[in-house]
Amino acid sequence: MQLELQLSSEAPSTGSPGTVRPGGRTARTRAAVRDAVLAGLVEHGYPGLTVEYVAEHSGVHKTTLYRRWGGVEGLVTDALDFAGEDSWTPPDTGSLQGDLRALAREVVDAFGDPANAAAPTAFIAAAFQSPRAADALHRFYSERFARCAPLTARAVERGEAPAGTDSGAVARAVSAPLFLRLFITREPIDADIADQAADAVLAAVRAGVYTSPA
């Protein structure tokens, strides 16, 4: 369940200053700005990111950036919102164990390699320094967790999970120990660690730990 950072080919057509998500003929502008924001976060971190840097690296005049996004917070927020506009769906391997393991391994794919992890890690760090970035990151992962509903629904239909299993709680539980190692204890993660986290959640699901109260 990675923090996807690939550019999308389309963008919504409406918005408001500071949170605008331009579409149509301005989609390329938004993509260029987003790339510059990513580069700036990786290179300088949130405290060192400036509108001037984004203007220089995107080719978009800083007056336009201020008018459309309102400043650095708006730029970072929109870049995170853009990341959530993809078509990601949870794994469908044919079994709950396979799905949970695949979900956990997506975290390894996104954060296990330092080169791949630089941009998403910078976004997460920005969320600790900007309330608007924190809100955007919350929206991103809330949407990701909501998209996991079919995963648990299939498990219930197959008899692998009790009815009422909370898909969001399951998804959070799979990724939580991996993020603990990544950002708190600074320990490495790999496929074996991912499988261990997934299997622990599988046992908890079977025991009804994540069943929502009636």
Side-chain angles (χ1 to χ4, degrees):
M1 187 164 42
Q2 57 186 299
L3 178 53
E4 181 60 57
L5 296 174
Q6 298 299 316
L7 288 174
S8 67
S9 59
E10 299 179 355
S13 58
T14 60
S16 57
T19 58
V20 70
R21 297 189 287 182
R25 65 186 179 85
T26 60
R28 287 190 298 275
T29 297
R30 186 186 181 207
V33 168
R34 180 177 176 274
D35 279 349
V37 171
L38 284 173
L41 285 174
V42 171
E43 186 175 350
H44 299 295
Y46 181 78
L49 181 65
T50 64
V51 172
E52 288 73 18
Y53 177 98
V54 176
E56 178 183 353
H57 288 78
S58 68
V60 179
H61 196 278
K62 68 178 183 180
T63 301
T64 301
L65 296 177
Y66 277 116
R67 183 178 68 251
R68 184 169 289 167
W69 285 277
V72 169
E73 274 200 314
L75 289 164
V76 172
T77 297
D78 186 60
L80 273 166
D81 286 341
F82 201 177
E85 294 171 20
D86 63 0
S87 57
W88 180 87
T89 57
D92 185 3
T93 65
S95 72
L96 180 57
Q97 182 182 49
D99 290 350
L100 295 179
R101 286 188 171 193
L103 203 62
R105 290 190 183 200
E106 287 189 9
V107 178
V108 175
D109 291 341
F111 293 95
D113 182 340
N116 294 335
T121 299
F123 268 131
I124 291 172
F128 283 92
Q129 301 167 76
S130 161
R132 286 182 61 188
D135 288 343
L137 191 67
H138 174 74
R139 288 195 300 273
F140 175 88
Y141 276 109
S142 293
E143 174 64 18
R144 279 293 192 267
F145 296 144
R147 293 189 204 181
C148 289
L151 186 153
T152 52
R154 291 191 299 264
V156 171
E157 291 175 358
R158 292 190 296 256
E160 298 175 299
T165 297
D166 186 330
S167 59
V170 170
R172 288 178 176 86
V174 169
S175 57
L178 302 176
F179 283 126
L180 174 70
R181 294 176 69 98
L182 284 166
F183 299 113
I184 305 300
T185 62
R186 307 297 293 175
E187 297 174 88
I189 59 174
D190 55 25
D192 290 339
I193 294 295
D195 289 350
Q196 181 185 72
D199 290 351
V201 174
L202 177 66
V205 168
R206 290 171 172 169
V209 171
Y210 302 112
T211 303
S212 301

